[in-house]
C-alpha cells in the first residue's frame, strides 16, 4: 500500500540543534518510534476532517532531545476514510508496516475506539497480548458499529483475538455502570481506580512493565478552563501525574504500540497542546531509558511465610523492580511493587498473585 495517498506529510519547522525536532525524520525506520496523528473523531461523536496538529508539533519539536538515541519519525497526519471502518483499515496497514520494522507506532488523536486498530494490528504479528488502558470509563457495550463504547467488548469478546492480560487503570466510580465494572472483575482482569493512581506511580507501575500495548484516553486527564479532551472531566490525573505515567509506559520491557486518544484537537489553548507535547516527550524518554537497560539481569530472592505457606519475591538488582514467583524464567513471574512485598510480610497477599 502506498501511504502517500493516506498520509499528509508534516511541514518543516526551524529548530535548534539541541531540540528534538532537529532529529525527527519522515520515513519509517527500523527500531524507531513512529508518530502518526489522527483526525477521525467519529467514534466519539466528533468529525473526520483533517485537523491541524501544527500547534502540538511546535510545542513538541522545541523540547530537548537530551541524549536520546532511538530514531524518531513523524509520519504526518492520517487522512480519514469515507467510513470509520475505512479509517481503521488504513491505520492497521500503517501499523503493520511499523511492526515489520520493529518500530513502535505512537498514534496521537482520533477517538478512543482506535485502540481496536492498535490491538488488531499488533495481533497480526503477535498473540497473547498484554494490554493496559488508562481510561476513566469502562464501557463494554455491544453493537455492530465500532465506537468508544463498543471497542473494548470487541477486543475482549472476539474469538479471533488472544489476550494474555488486560489492566484497566484510572476508572472513576461515579462515571461507570456497575455491571460493566462487575463483569471485568468476574473475568479476573485488573481494575484500578483513579484514587489509587494519584501522587505516585509505584502501585500501578507493575501493570505497565510487561505491556505490549498501552492506550491513554485523554478523558482520564483533568480539564480546567478549555477542555483537554473530547469528554472533559473536572476530576482526573493531573498534568504531572500523566507525564509520570507516560514515562512508565515508555519503560515497558515489551512495548510495541501506544495510543493517545480523545485529545481535544479543537482546543485553542496553547497549554493543552503543550501538555500533549510533553506527554509524548516523557514517553520517548522512558523508551530511551528502557533501551539502555542491561539485557542480563540479576535478582535477589526473598521468601515470605503466610499461614504455613511460603511465597517468593524477587528484586531486580539493577532497576530495583519487584516480581512475585520463584520461577527461574522471569517472564513467568508476576510484576509487583515493593509495597506488595511489604504487605505480604504483614500476612496479606494480593489476589492477583493467587489466580489459577
Amino acid at each position: 500500500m502506498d501511504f502517500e495517498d493516506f498520509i499528509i506529510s508534516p511541514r518543516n519547522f526551524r529548530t535548534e540543534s539541541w531540540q528534538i525536532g532537529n532529529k525527527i525524520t519522515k520515513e519509517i525506520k527500523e527500531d524507531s518510534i513512529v508518530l502518526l496523528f489522527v483526525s477521525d473523531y467519529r467514534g466519539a461523536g466528533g468529525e473526520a476532517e483533517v485537523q491541524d496538529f501544527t500547534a502540538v508539533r511546535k510545542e513538541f519539536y522545541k523540547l530537548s532531545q537530551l541524549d536520546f538515541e532511538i530514531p524518531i519519525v513523524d509520519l504526518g497526519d492520517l487522512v480519514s476514510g469515507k467510513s470509520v471502518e475505512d479509517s481503521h483499515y488504513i491505520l492497521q496497514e500503517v501499523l503493520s508496516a511499523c511492526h515489520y520494522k520493529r518500530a513502535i507506532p505512537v498514534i496521537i488523536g482520533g477517538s478512543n475506539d482506535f485502540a481496536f486498530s492498535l490491538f488488531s494490528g499488533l495481533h497480526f504479528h503477535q498473540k497473547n497480548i498484554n494490554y493496559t488502558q488508562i481510561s476513566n470509563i469502562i464501557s463494554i457495550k455491544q453493537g455492530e458499529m465500532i465506537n468508544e463504547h463498543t471497542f473494548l467488548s470487541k477486543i475482549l469478546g472476539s474469538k479471533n483475538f488472544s489476550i494474555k492480560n488486560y489492566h484497566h487503570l484510572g476508572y472513576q466510580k461515579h462515571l461507570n455502570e456497575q455491571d460493566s465494572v462487575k463483569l471485568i472483575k468476574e473475568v479476573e482482569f485488573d481494575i484500578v481506580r483513579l484514587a489509587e493512581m494519584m501522587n505516585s506511580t509505584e502501585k500501578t507501575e507493575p501493570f505497565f512493565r510487561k505491556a505490549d500495548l498501552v492506550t491513554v484516553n485523554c478523558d482520564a486527564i483533568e480539564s480546567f478552563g478549555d477542555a483537554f479532551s473530547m469528554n472533559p472531566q473536572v476530576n482526573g490525573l493531573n498534568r504531572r501525574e500523566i507525564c509520570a505515567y507516560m514515562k512508565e509506559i515508555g519503560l515497558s520491557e515489551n512495548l510495541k504500540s501506544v495510543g493517545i486518544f480523545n485529545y481535544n484537537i479543537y482546543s485553542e489553548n496553547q497549554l493543552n497542546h503543550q501538555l500533549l507535547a510533553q506527554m509524548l516527550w516523557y514517553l520517548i524518554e522512558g523508551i530511551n531509558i528502557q533501551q539502555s537497560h542491561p539485557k542480563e539481569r540479576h535478582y535477589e530472592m526473598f521468601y515470605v511465610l503466610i499461614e504455613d505457606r511460603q511465597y517468593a519475591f524477587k528484586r531486580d538488582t539493577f532497576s530495583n523492580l519487584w516480581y512475585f514467583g520463584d520461577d527461574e524464567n522471569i517472564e513467568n513471574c508476576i510484576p509487583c511493587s515493593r509495597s506488595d512485598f511489604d504487605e505480604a510480610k504483614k500476612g496479606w497477599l494480593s489476589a492477583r498473585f493467587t489466580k489459577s
Side-chain angles (χ1 to χ4, degrees), residues 67-102:
D67 55 353
F68 296 166
E69 294 184 0
I70 192 167
I72 302 171
V73 179
D74 185 352
L75 272 189
D77 302 332
L78 190 75
V79 177
S80 304
K82 288 185 178 180
S83 67
V84 173
E85 290 74 18
D86 290 338
S87 292
H88 279 274
Y89 174 78
I90 296 166
L91 179 56
Q92 287 176 38
E93 291 294 314
V94 178
L95 292 168
S96 191
C98 292
H99 293 315
Y100 273 120
K101 293 195 174 185
R102 299 183 308 278

Side-chain angles (χ1 to χ4, degrees), residues 267-284:
S267 172
E268 296 182 359
N269 187 338
Q270 181 187 1
L271 296 180
N272 280 344
H273 303 317
Q274 193 176 93
L275 176 57
L276 180 59
Q278 293 188 18
M279 287 167 61
L280 289 173
W281 189 91
Y282 278 100
L283 171 69
I284 293 169

Side-chain angles (χ1 to χ4, degrees), residues 52-326:
D52 187 0
F53 285 90
T54 299
V56 177
R57 281 192 174 95
K58 277 185 176 179
E59 293 294 337
F60 175 66
Y61 278 39
K62 68 185 182 183
L63 299 174
S64 172
Q65 61 175 280
L66 289 186
D67 55 353
F68 296 166
E69 294 184 0
I70 192 167
I72 302 171
V73 179
D74 185 352
L75 272 189
D77 302 332
L78 190 75
V79 177
S80 304
K82 288 185 178 180
S83 67
V84 173
E85 290 74 18
D86 290 338
S87 292
H88 279 274
Y89 174 78
I90 296 166
L91 179 56
Q92 287 176 38
E93 291 294 314
V94 178
L95 292 168
S96 191
C98 292
H99 293 315
Y100 273 120
K101 293 195 174 185
R102 299 183 308 278
I104 300 174
V106 180
I107 309 305
I108 307 112
S111 47
N112 206 36
D113 51 284
F114 280 103
F116 178 86
S117 283
L118 267 69
F119 191 96
S120 182
L122 179 56
H123 195 268
F124 182 79
H125 297 264
Q126 172 190 329
K127 310 307 177 192
N128 296 319
I129 293 171
N130 290 305
Y131 174 28
T132 297
Q133 180 184 191
I134 297 177
S135 179
N136 58 336
I137 296 291
I138 301 174
S139 180
I140 47 177
K141 291 182 179 178
Q142 305 291 320
E144 284 189 26
M145 298 294 291
I146 184 167
N147 57 46
E148 64 176 352
H149 303 295
T150 63
F151 82 91
L152 189 55
S153 65
K154 292 181 181 296
I155 291 176
L156 301 182
S158 174
K159 294 179 181 178
N160 299 320
F161 289 153
S162 58
I163 186 164
K164 185 175 182 181
N165 289 300
Y166 173 64
H167 308 300
H168 194 112
L169 312 182
Y171 96 100
Q172 298 179 36
K173 287 196 297 185
H174 56 278
L175 299 176
N176 284 276
E177 293 181 53
Q178 273 306 105
D179 288 346
S180 295
V181 177
K182 185 179 178 182
L183 185 58
I184 293 290
K185 288 182 177 178
E186 284 177 354
V187 293
E188 296 190 325
F189 288 132
D190 295 295
I191 300 178
V192 178
R193 289 174 50 214
L194 170 65
E196 299 176 75
M197 296 181 68
M198 297 167 67
N199 301 320
S200 172
T201 62
E202 181 189 0
K203 183 169 183 176
T204 46
E205 176 278 327
F207 299 124
F208 298 105
R209 200 181 309 168
K210 297 292 184 181
D212 301 294
L213 166 64
V214 182
T215 63
V216 178
N217 179 357
C218 287
D219 298 339
I221 302 165
E222 66 181 14
S223 289
F224 283 109
D226 197 24
F228 183 74
S229 69
M230 293 298 291
N231 305 298
Q233 300 293 326
V234 68
N235 281 308
L237 294 169
N238 66 32
R239 293 153 177 78
R240 294 179 182 85
E241 289 166 345
I242 190 57
C243 286
Y245 278 110
M246 294 306 296
K247 184 174 179 178
E248 292 292 354
I249 294 169
L251 286 168
S252 166
E253 298 169 10
N254 300 332
L255 192 65
K256 311 288 192 319
S257 283
V258 180
I260 305 172
F261 302 122
N262 273 17
Y263 174 67
N264 179 21
I265 189 56
Y266 312 112
S267 172
E268 296 182 359
N269 187 338
Q270 181 187 1
L271 296 180
N272 280 344
H273 303 317
Q274 193 176 93
L275 176 57
L276 180 59
Q278 293 188 18
M279 287 167 61
L280 289 173
W281 189 91
Y282 278 100
L283 171 69
I284 293 169
E285 184 192 30
I287 294 172
N288 273 272
I289 293 171
Q290 178 55 234
Q291 300 261 338
S292 68
H293 279 189
K295 301 303 178 188
E296 186 177 335
R297 303 290 179 86
H298 300 281
Y299 302 93
E300 281 185 308
M301 186 79 81
F302 300 87
Y303 292 98
V304 177
L305 196 65
I306 303 177
E307 296 180 353
D308 298 326
R309 185 169 178 182
Q310 185 173 267
Y311 297 95
F313 288 82
K314 292 182 179 182
R315 184 183 74 88
D316 185 325
T317 57
F318 175 79
S319 65
N320 202 31
L321 296 177
W322 288 76
Y323 297 83
F324 174 82
D326 58 2

